Amino acid sequence: KGATLLVININPQATTRSGTRALVRTFKKLCADSVSVKERHFCRVSLNSLVSAPPDAIVIGPQGVPFDAYDPAAKAHLFDLLRALTGPALAVCGGHQALALAHGSTVAPVFGGHASGSYDGLQKELGFRSITHSANDPILCGVPKNAQMNVSHIEEVKELPDGFELLGTGDPCHIQLMKSHTDAVYGCQFHPEKGGDGASLLRAFLSLANLSLR
């Protein structure tokens, strides 16, 4: 049996796939042919299957609307899935924010204002930023201490959720990389699939998940 990496689309609509598909394309380039890279919408992932027969690694993709725009039952299901993750798992951008929310933290716009229902009129943080780390963690193996990472987000995680440690910081968004105290479950605010030093982090993630690289 070959290994499987599952990329989960967390957008409310399954047809909103651009962010998830970018991750799928990147992982297909990085992974050996023996690794099956699959995409699935979160509403089609059952909590039971995630716990009883998890894939070898999970990546939680970004999202394009504020979390209060979600159907309450769907959002509750998403948060249940995120709380059930035991790793290896990497939550990217909006996935990172959802992971923090599921564990009791708060998310709000980087530059002020309030995202209620939509992001209309709110300033986006966009482009390459310096992400600093001094942690001795497997996901940072080969990643420069001052890494250049691509960011594209309006909101940010405002405080570290309980049970997580801070691995990487930036400015103006401080919480850029976090990890669960108990599992190999990571959240990154930046987009490692969009160039810079991101590929180094993704390779390190695949290595810690024991997934073969090209």
Side-chain angles (χ1 to χ4, degrees):
K1 171 183 171 294
T4 300
L5 183 149
L6 178 63
V7 181
I8 299 179
N9 177 3
I10 69 165
N11 282 284
Q13 304 299 325
T15 50
T16 307
R17 299 173 58 205
S18 61
T20 316
R21 289 170 85 177
L23 284 162
V24 169
R25 283 193 301 271
T26 300
F27 279 110
K28 282 185 173 178
K29 288 176 185 172
L30 293 172
C31 292
D33 290 338
S34 58
V35 180
S36 175
V37 181
K38 298 181 177 179
E39 176 196 346
R40 189 166 297 157
H41 190 254
F42 76 94
C43 287
R44 292 184 54 236
V45 179
S46 76
L47 188 60
N48 181 57
S49 69
L50 198 65
V51 173
S52 62
D56 296 278
I58 292 175
V59 176
I60 309 295
Q63 105 302 349
V65 297
F67 292 100
D68 69 359
Y70 282 57
D71 171 79
K75 183 165 70 172
H77 174 64
L78 172 61
F79 288 179
D80 284 344
L81 293 176
L82 294 170
R83 283 190 287 266
L85 293 175
T86 55
L90 175 64
V92 175
C93 196
H96 159 79
Q97 295 171 14
L99 180 65
L101 287 169
H103 287 276
S105 185
T106 56
V107 165
V110 178
F111 299 108
H114 183 61
S116 179
S118 85
Y119 290 135
D120 291 351
L122 294 169
Q123 185 180 348
K124 177 179 274 194
E125 191 191 3
L126 197 61
F128 283 95
R129 297 289 182 274
S130 181
I131 308 300
T132 306
H133 73 86
S134 57
N136 181 22
D137 189 272
I139 204 169
L140 292 165
C141 181
V143 179
K145 295 292 184 188
N146 285 295
Q148 292 299 306
M149 297 292 187
N150 198 311
V151 302
S152 176
H153 60 110
I154 290 167
E155 296 195 275
E156 65 176 336
V157 176
K158 289 298 186 182
E159 64 271 328
L160 204 61
D162 287 345
F164 283 77
E165 62 180 305
L166 186 61
L167 295 184
T169 60
D171 182 59
C173 173
H174 183 66
I175 300 173
Q176 286 285 352
L177 180 65
M178 65 182 189
K179 180 191 182 183
S180 165
H181 284 312
T182 54
D183 299 294
V185 176
Y186 299 86
C188 63
Q189 182 59 71
F190 51 86
H191 283 269
E193 77 281 11
K194 291 186 177 180
D197 293 308
S200 298
L201 182 130
L202 294 181
R203 287 191 191 96
F205 173 70
L206 292 168
S207 294
L208 72 87
N210 293 314
L211 294 177
S212 300
L213 294 159
R214 285 198 188 279

